[in-house]
Amino acid sequence: MAKKKQTLEDKLSVKVESSWLAVDKKTDKEIYDFADGYMDFISKAKTEREMVNSIVSAATKNGFKPIEKCKTLKPGDKVIITNMGKVAALAVIGKEPIEKGMKVVGSHIDSPRLDLKQKPLYEDTDSDLALFKTHYYGGIKKYQWVNVPLALHGVIVRADGKIIDVNIGEDPNDPVFVIGDLLPHLARKVQGERKLFEGITGEELRIIIGSRPSLDKDTKNKFKLNVLEILNKKYGIIEEDLISAELQAVPVSKCRDIGFDRSLIGGYGQDDRVCAYTSLMAICEIQKPSKTALALFFDKEEVGSVGATGAQGGFFEYALIEIMERLSPKFRFATLKKALSNSRALSADVDAGVDPMFKTVYELGNAAKLGGGIGICKFGGAGGKGGSNDANAEFLGEVRQLFNKNNIPWQYTELGKVDEGGGGTVARFLSEHNLQVIDVGPALISMHSPFEISSKADVYYTYRAFLEFHKAA
Ligand code: MN
Ligand code: MN
């Protein structure tokens, strides 16, 4: 960092400036190199299942082992715990006894998307098209998802129990799918008089999947049957198999550099794979920390952290039991509670970056800018901090000190003006385990859209922040 003379103002007031100003040549290269790895990773892993697979394979390359393969654990051991293929934990056992507390970074690996309905397939005989019906997942602005090339990811469980992996649309030779939108010439009344959020309704999110009729003479549903014939040939499935399927339509696009200076990243699912990736990279570097390091990768955050694979589920405690039983044959539940209450957690999730076109929703003195470094957010929620984990000042102080000591640019941020809206993260569910927890993470513009925007500097410093958090005593 370039040192210049401190003014009285520097000394006494909060300085908020672009983190790019203090970047030296070496760090500059590290920032761009780190972004390349990140962009490649999240361009390939677009669903929670794919993220769990990618996390497991990256961790395995870095010496982590499935916990089932470890009879006992000792300091320095690295383990992987997963559940239902949708939620994962990585741990590096610390030198101190676990009841002295752990360092936890919790992110989420699900992103807003369009799920296929369980009976998705139909044909529209007025347009001679075959379509899939969808039910959107997470908080989306529906009008953003039309005219976007979509890929289908997921699984189909056949009647014989066989699980078929589906990934179609990502390979340049694959076809893609799309939701059409009405031409402007005819849209003035039917859409123009609706409010923006209803410009496209949930039931209008229907994906075009074919337009050729079957040549079978016995059917009235020629367009639907043709798709079924193709699916039967490709996957060996019949229509009923789609009922036991989880198929997710996600944007086809890969991450791209944005801007003449290539300082920004555009891509789908950065909320919250940016924190999943950065925390993964950080924990993969940790060797024998003082306190046990834990990275949690939750599912279902976008629908309220519910279910067995969400942060409200039992996975966190279950993973700890798996670890603690292997650390000591005299494992007691009380020790687990003690370990939790002495722990510190970063709820790693994205925040809202100031949008230059809609500044009125932010209180600009407490809002994050892209490039301002990792954001620290004391509370979220809505309507007087409702439903929010409101972090303790003491822990905020610790985190601030840690980042300052390690030259990690950070900024204070909150999700919009008072009473403007709000949102939650996994923070409150982590805090229910009686540990210190605070929200941190990079800011995004266009959050929950098919093409979210982050800053390469923020992504890099988020990784550095997690690394220093685990390393600190
Ligand atoms: Mn999030
Ligand atoms: Mn989100």
Side-chain angles (χ1 to χ4, degrees), residues 37-265:
Y38 164 61
M39 291 161 75
D40 186 53
F41 192 94
I42 69 158
S43 291
K44 288 175 187 152
K46 293 189 176 179
T47 66
E48 59 278 5
R49 288 175 191 270
E50 291 169 356
M51 277 298 284
V52 166
N53 290 340
S54 298
I55 287 164
V56 168
S57 83
T60 307
K61 277 186 203 137
N62 283 280
F64 286 78
K65 290 199 183 88
I67 195 145
E68 302 79 24
K69 295 211 170 139
C70 309
K71 280 208 174 105
T72 59
L73 288 175
K74 58 178 190 314
D77 283 348
K78 301 174 168 191
V79 288
I80 306 167
I81 306 154
T82 63
N83 190 23
M84 301 180 192
K86 293 178 172 181
V87 56
L90 301 178
V92 184
I93 306 302
K95 286 179 280 193
E96 289 179 14
I98 199 162
E99 56 269 31
K100 293 253 170 93
M102 301 162 286
K103 298 283 188 65
V104 183
V105 179
S107 61
H108 68 90
I109 53 175
D110 61 319
S111 292
R113 59 182 191 244
L114 305 175
D115 287 343
L116 295 199
K117 289 194 183 190
Q118 297 326 110
K119 281 172 71 185
L121 179 59
Y122 78 107
E123 67 176 26
D124 180 76
T125 45
D126 296 312
S127 58
D128 280 357
L129 291 172
L131 299 108
F132 274 154
K133 298 173 185 174
T134 68
H135 196 137
Y136 67 97
Y137 173 96
I140 61 166
K141 289 159 93 177
K142 301 172 197 89
Y143 68 84
Q144 293 179 335
W145 292 72
V146 296
N147 307 327
V148 174
L150 298 168
L152 286 177
H153 294 230
V155 294
I156 302 169
V157 182
R158 261 186 355 204
D160 61 5
K162 189 171 158 52
I163 297 166
I164 316 244
D165 281 307
V166 177
N167 185 320
I168 182 163
E170 299 291 350
D171 186 299
N173 295 315
D174 283 349
V176 299
F177 310 94
V178 73
I179 298 165
D181 194 6
L182 188 58
L183 64 169
H185 316 63
L186 298 178
R188 214 160 55 94
K189 268 191 261 165
V190 70
Q191 281 182 308
E193 287 167 16
R194 295 182 187 181
K195 286 188 171 168
L196 180 66
F197 275 26
E198 287 99 52
I200 298 286
T201 64
E203 286 294 350
E204 287 164 352
L205 289 171
R206 295 194 173 177
I207 305 173
I208 297 172
I209 54 167
S211 73
R212 281 185 70 151
S214 164
L215 300 176
D216 188 278
K217 290 194 182 64
D218 302 326
T219 180
K220 269 196 255 164
N221 305 306
K222 289 184 165 44
F223 296 93
K224 178 177 168 180
L225 186 64
N226 195 51
V227 171
L228 283 173
E229 281 178 67
I230 294 169
L231 292 178
N232 184 260
K233 223 167 152 188
K234 189 168 166 66
Y235 300 113
I237 62 163
I238 60 168
E239 188 178 12
E240 195 184 284
D241 292 323
L242 294 175
I243 289 180
S244 50
E246 282 179 345
L247 293 171
Q248 313 177 353
V250 295
V252 168
S253 65
K254 301 214 178 311
C255 287
R256 297 291 299 264
D257 290 342
I258 296 178
F260 290 114
D261 54 11
R262 297 176 173 262
S263 60
L264 303 171
I265 299 166

Side-chain angles (χ1 to χ4, degrees), residues 108 271-272 301-302 349-350:
H108 68 90
D271 173 8
D272 182 33
E301 195 278 341
E302 298 295 356
D349 207 344
V350 296

